[in-house]
Amino acid sequence: MDDSKPFTQVEGMRVYTGGEELRRAAAALSGPSLAPRPSVSLALPAQQAGHVDRTGHTSKTSSFNDRRQSQDQPEAFQKIDSQSTNFEPVYNDGLILQEKASQAGGSAQGQLDLLKQACDKYHEAWELQTNSHAALYNWGVALSDMAHLEKKTEHDAAYHCLLAAAEKYALSLFYSPNNPQALNNWGLVLQELSTMRSPAERILLVQQSVAKFRRAIRLRPEFDRACYNLGTVYYAHACSLQGEVQNPGAQQEAASAGAEPTSEAVLRRTFALAAQYILLSYVLQPAKEVYSKSLQVIKQLLPLPHLRAGRLLAVAADSLGAVPERWLVSVFVLDEAGFRIVAPHDQPAASSQQVAAESQESNRGEESQRAQQESGSRDEQQPDSYQIGLNDVACVKSCNDPSLPPGYAFWVSLHSRTQGLYFVAEVSEDAEGWVDALHMASYAAKQGRMQMLANALASASGEQQYHS
């Protein structure tokens, strides 16, 4: 079995690979189960209020994965494009202070003092060279570390440190827009901010956090830590939604804030997305203990034996290229065998339940009803005609084309078909989930990791007996 190459850091940024990430995740996973176990009736069990955010937060790979560059790194990673001869020594002073803070024992105040000095140095370096994304990035990491120290005693101070860190990551990305490490760290900051705000604000912050992780993995599909973090953010959010569903007071508060009530279909989708990303991170790096442990406790949330399953609108295979084309709704699945249509009677229990929930939700949507009125054939089931191998997938993108049927579309470019294929989902989150799953699974296929995906799904399926 070929091991895929791990994520490679951006020049000037050091990826943190210490043991703290495993200690935190293992501590979280040794407590209450990471995922609720669905019952036969599909009703998710209650969890203790206050437990879900803590579990979802501490089970991330680490609070802020990417650490600062140290003095003992290879010369290639110490290059700084400088317009001022004064920039580099000031910037390096900040790195040294930040490294000392990470290694300092004793009181938190001593670490805070060192981090504050590092922030001052980064500020000074940035004023000398305002387009230095590295100085801004490491400034954000220092502020993030300060927030974790302050959170124990000064909640407001921690909150403002996180806001400042988010600002630094955003500015860093202005100068280096394709830095996945900065996107990952920004996503972590936004997720932590979401735990400090009201339910209405929390949902917006979670959505922004998801967008940052999603951008990171689409830039670098080998970035397993961003993929894992995306899964844990979805899991924490799903647990929060579940708590609101089981709490009438929270439901009323959400309704008064203008939020839609959370349905069982939304809960199922969010938990399934969490499981999807955690499994994909495991497929990329199965040797990481935190991924394998997490997979063991969330695998029952997958639409086994598939990675994804759901209803999509697609052009009938016998009308591809015709004028006009015929669009039909079919049930698609994704696993190691590829992306394909399955007949309703071939769906396993978990997939059937998820598809049924999606169908029930979509039938309630006014937009879906209008779309079905426009095309009387949308509810027909296609024959088993689509069979796309993952090695055939060149790229996958969300798209907004007014010539397509209403809904949320994505485009799959194929090596074997220059025009590619369009698919339309009823819900935006479903479309994005398909894009990520196809993008990362096709990358894994090209790295020779399909057997790992098959083994993970088969192992999970073999232990999922409560659906039968």
Side-chain angles (χ1 to χ4, degrees), residues 7-10 13 15 66 137 179-185 223:
F7 171 73
T8 304
Q9 61 262 45
V10 176
M13 309 294 171
V15 174
D66 302 320
Y137 170 91
N179 182 348
Q181 294 162 223
L183 286 161
N184 178 67
N185 283 19
F223 196 178

Side-chain angles (χ1 to χ4, degrees), residues 340-414:
R340 65 191 188 280
I341 289 175
V342 293
H345 57 78
D346 291 332
Q347 296 173 50
S351 300
S352 299
Q353 291 155 357
Q354 179 171 328
V355 170
E358 289 177 8
S359 178
Q360 184 180 9
E361 182 185 59
S362 67
N363 288 338
R364 288 196 296 262
E366 291 181 3
E367 183 179 69
S368 174
Q369 291 173 2
R370 288 198 303 270
Q372 290 186 14
Q373 290 169 2
E374 291 171 9
S375 174
S377 62
R378 286 175 61 107
D379 281 337
E380 296 179 30
Q381 173 70 38
Q382 285 205 57
D384 187 5
S385 51
Y386 278 88
Q387 178 75 40
I388 299 172
L390 290 172
N391 278 310
D392 192 25
V393 176
C395 71
V396 191
K397 294 182 178 180
S398 302
C399 57
N400 184 15
D401 187 334
S403 69
L404 297 174
Y408 299 89
F410 61 94
W411 176 67
V412 182
S413 173
L414 303 175

Side-chain angles (χ1 to χ4, degrees), residues 181-192:
Q181 294 162 223
L183 286 161
N184 178 67
N185 283 19
W186 192 5
L188 289 167
V189 166
L190 291 166
Q191 193 275 335
E192 185 142 355

Side-chain angles (χ1 to χ4, degrees), residues 392-459:
D392 192 25
V393 176
C395 71
V396 191
K397 294 182 178 180
S398 302
C399 57
N400 184 15
D401 187 334
S403 69
L404 297 174
Y408 299 89
F410 61 94
W411 176 67
V412 182
S413 173
L414 303 175
H415 296 295
S416 62
R417 179 181 167 84
T418 54
Q419 301 95 330
L421 295 168
Y422 289 94
F423 301 89
V424 181
E426 295 282 359
V427 181
S428 173
E429 204 74 6
D430 277 337
E432 299 297 339
W434 280 109
V435 170
D436 290 338
L438 283 162
H439 175 61
M440 298 198 69
S442 63
Y443 170 80
K446 293 175 179 66
Q447 298 297 312
R449 306 203 66 81
M450 280 302 91
Q451 190 58 50
M452 181 59 65
L453 175 58
N455 292 345
L457 291 171
S459 171

Side-chain angles (χ1 to χ4, degrees), residues 141-201:
V141 175
L143 287 163
S144 302
D145 290 342
M146 286 176 62
H148 279 275
L149 293 169
E150 295 277 22
K151 195 173 182 180
K152 299 172 183 176
T153 55
E154 297 290 339
H155 189 273
D156 287 344
Y159 175 72
H160 289 292
C161 282
L162 288 170
L163 284 179
E167 179 186 46
K168 301 304 177 289
Y169 289 132
L171 194 53
S172 170
L173 284 158
F174 177 80
Y175 295 111
S176 179
N178 293 330
N179 182 348
Q181 294 162 223
L183 286 161
N184 178 67
N185 283 19
W186 192 5
L188 289 167
V189 166
L190 291 166
Q191 193 275 335
E192 185 142 355
L193 283 168
S194 74
T195 67
M196 302 179 176
R197 309 308 293 168
S198 67
E201 291 176 284

Side-chain angles (χ1 to χ4, degrees), residues 34-112:
L34 178 67
R37 185 180 182 85
S39 65
V40 175
S41 65
L42 306 182
L44 295 170
Q47 291 203 0
Q48 293 293 326
H51 165 71
V52 291
D53 282 343
R54 184 169 64 256
T55 300
H57 169 71
T58 58
S59 62
K60 291 195 293 291
T61 304
S62 76
S63 292
F64 298 93
N65 303 355
D66 302 320
R67 294 295 190 186
R68 73 289 310 163
Q69 173 188 17
S70 65
Q71 289 293 90
D72 59 355
Q73 283 184 280
E75 183 179 352
F77 290 103
Q78 295 202 34
K79 286 186 179 178
I80 301 294
D81 292 331
S82 174
Q83 297 175 352
S84 168
T85 56
N86 294 327
F87 169 82
E88 191 167 347
V90 174
Y91 172 76
N92 286 336
D93 284 346
L95 296 175
I96 293 168
L97 288 163
Q98 199 169 2
E99 194 68 22
K100 284 182 178 179
S102 70
Q103 297 172 357
S107 69
Q109 188 57 50
Q111 295 177 58
L112 277 170

